[in-house]
């Protein structure tokens, strides 16, 4: 029996299989006006196609908890009720296809205010709908990025509240799972890592201080997120730095603490917080980080990173390296990857009634 197509229970939510879609920004929301940050036709078609293709869980792309928390002016947001209403059609359609709708709540920190990737992705100013990025410390991501404003303690607390407000709106929008974005060099990751966090107050310095903001966000979200619904956390398991960065050892330690604070699954990625690092890319190159967390903590994990074929994904789960796999670019290339994988593995996956004659 295929491990990839076994259901997975988290609190009172059952995900029908272990083929999941990670958050991948589409940079396709309106940058200004009443529909700023709201999902549009592209988002409905994009996510709907993967749901119809049999994906068990879809994590909607990084969705900003405030306007300043966006990566670009074209990012999704969930800081107002107009955005909530626009999301409802997407979550309803995903649920109708048997897919569990999830959303990643995010703040981009010092990597904010950039153009869309196909326009070069460079930092932009007010003349292009940009703004001043903020961070734990006034340290730029690289030479091309501006020096961010250093957050005050009161501003940090305001952002904690914004995450909680965003979680309330995510619930109203019909999402079944919320994920907190703590990876890829965005705000929470910036606080976690000594590479980007040079503070000397209660939010910097020691491991305990550097993890304080992340745990405050988790606690604030968990307080408003229903007890019967799961909460995920996405983490960069390492900065890929030889010293002075966040490490795999830190990730295992933090996974135990996140679990104790009510996080139900760790979405394990890596990198993004330090520019110019060498990452040894290869099939499943991040899976060992997920496997270590699973082996050394009570936290369930999802693995990501160049997972492309059915046998590879099946082996990861059968070997106990992860509880689920997240397929990014492969699902961009093939929205029906889950249906194809099920055929290859001799398993069953839900097929829309409209497609029965073609499968």
């Amino acid at each position: 029996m295929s491990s990839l197509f076994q259901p997975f229970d988290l609190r009172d939510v059952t995900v029908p299989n272990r083929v999941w879609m990670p958050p991948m920004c589409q940079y396709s929301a309106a940058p200004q006006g009443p529909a700023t940050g709201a999902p549009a036709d592209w988002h409905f078609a994009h996510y709907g196609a993967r749901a119809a293709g049999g994906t068990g869980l879809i994590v909607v792309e990084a969705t900003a908890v405030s306007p300043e928390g966006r990566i670009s002016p074209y990012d999704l947001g969930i800081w107002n009720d107009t955005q909530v209403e626009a999301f409802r059609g997407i979550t309803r359609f995903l649920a109708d296809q048997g897919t569990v709708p999830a959303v990643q709540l995010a703040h981009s920190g010092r990597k904010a205010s950039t153009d869309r990737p196909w326009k070069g992705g460079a930092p932009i100013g007010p003349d292009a709908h940009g703004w001043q990025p903020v961070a734990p410390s006034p340290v730029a991501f690289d030479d091309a990025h501006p020096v961010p404003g250093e957050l005050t303690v009161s501003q940090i607390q305001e952002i904690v509240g914004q995450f909680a407000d965003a979680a309330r709106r995510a619930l109203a929008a019909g999402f079944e799972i919320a994920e907190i974005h703590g990876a890829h060099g965005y705000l929470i990751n910036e606080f976690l890592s000594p590479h980007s966090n040079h503070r000397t107050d209660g939010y910097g310095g020691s491991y305990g201080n550097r993890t304080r903001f992340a745990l405050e966000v988790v606690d604030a979200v968990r307080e408003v997120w229903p007890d019967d619904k799961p909460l995920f956390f996405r983490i960069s398991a390492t900065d890929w730095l030889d010293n002075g960065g966040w490490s795999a050892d830190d990730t295992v330690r933090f996974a135990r603490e996140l679990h104790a604070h009510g996080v139900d699954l760790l979405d394990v990625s890596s990198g993004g917080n330090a520019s110019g690092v060498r990452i040894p890319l290869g099939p499943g190159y991040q899976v060992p980080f997920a496997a270590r967390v699973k082996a050394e903590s009570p936290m369930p994990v999802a693995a990501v990173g160049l997972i492309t074929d059915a046998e590879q994904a099946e082996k990861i789960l059968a070997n106990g390296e992860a509880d689920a796999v997240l397929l990014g670019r492969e699902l961009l290339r093939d929205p029906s990857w889950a249906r194809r994988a099920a055929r290859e593995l001799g398993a069953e996956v839900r097929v829309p009634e409209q497609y029965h004659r073609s499968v």
Side-chain angles (χ1 to χ4, degrees), residues 10-28:
L10 288 161
R11 296 192 185 240
D12 288 354
V13 173
T14 298
V15 185
N17 61 53
R18 314 298 179 98
V19 180
W20 298 358
M21 181 175 175
M24 291 178 284
C25 290
Q26 298 298 293
Y27 305 102
S28 298

Side-chain angles (χ1 to χ4, degrees), residues 70-297:
R70 294 172 293 171
I71 302 167
S72 83
Y74 304 91
D75 284 18
L76 292 180
I78 195 161
W79 65 80
N80 65 43
D81 293 340
T82 298
Q83 296 157 347
V84 169
E85 187 60 36
F87 272 118
R88 284 183 179 138
I90 294 175
T91 59
R92 184 166 53 246
F93 183 82
L94 266 55
D96 285 348
Q97 304 311 306
T99 297
V100 175
V103 63
Q104 185 183 70
L105 307 178
H107 193 298
S108 57
R110 66 178 181 169
K111 295 173 76 174
S113 190
T114 60
D115 207 344
R116 291 169 288 188
W118 56 87
K119 295 289 187 178
I124 56 175
D127 58 334
H129 312 300
W131 60 93
Q132 171 66 41
V134 295
S137 303
V139 179
F141 174 67
D142 59 21
D143 292 341
H145 282 72
V147 174
E150 183 175 35
L151 289 164
T152 65
V153 172
S154 63
Q155 288 173 322
I156 291 170
Q157 292 304 306
E158 181 180 2
I159 293 172
V160 171
Q162 289 169 346
F163 271 94
D165 290 342
R168 290 190 190 94
R169 290 192 171 97
L171 183 65
F175 289 103
E176 290 292 315
I177 296 174
E179 175 174 275
I180 295 169
H181 195 355
H184 300 157
Y186 298 118
L187 187 62
I188 292 176
N189 190 186
E190 293 164 18
F191 271 91
L192 292 175
S193 174
H195 175 73
S196 46
N197 184 346
H198 299 175
R199 299 178 74 96
T200 57
D201 63 3
Y203 289 95
S206 68
Y207 168 90
N209 284 353
R210 287 184 284 107
T211 58
R212 187 185 308 279
F213 173 61
L215 292 177
E216 287 181 350
V217 169
V218 167
D219 289 344
V221 170
R222 187 74 268 182
E223 185 175 352
V224 302
W225 195 245
D227 288 341
D228 62 345
K229 296 186 185 300
L231 177 63
F232 291 2
F233 190 99
R234 188 166 223 201
I235 198 164
S236 281
T238 177
D239 285 338
W240 294 105
L241 294 169
D242 291 334
N243 54 66
W246 184 261
S247 70
D249 289 342
D250 294 326
T251 294
V252 172
R253 178 181 178 183
F254 194 45
R256 300 184 188 116
E257 295 173 14
L258 288 171
H259 189 266
H261 282 255
V263 172
D264 299 288
L265 180 137
L266 198 65
D267 173 355
V268 185
S269 187
S270 72
N273 193 41
S275 64
V277 298
R278 295 176 61 86
I279 300 176
L281 298 177
Y285 71 102
Q286 296 176 137
V287 174
F289 297 120
R292 185 176 169 195
V293 171
K294 184 170 175 59
E296 298 181 28
S297 81

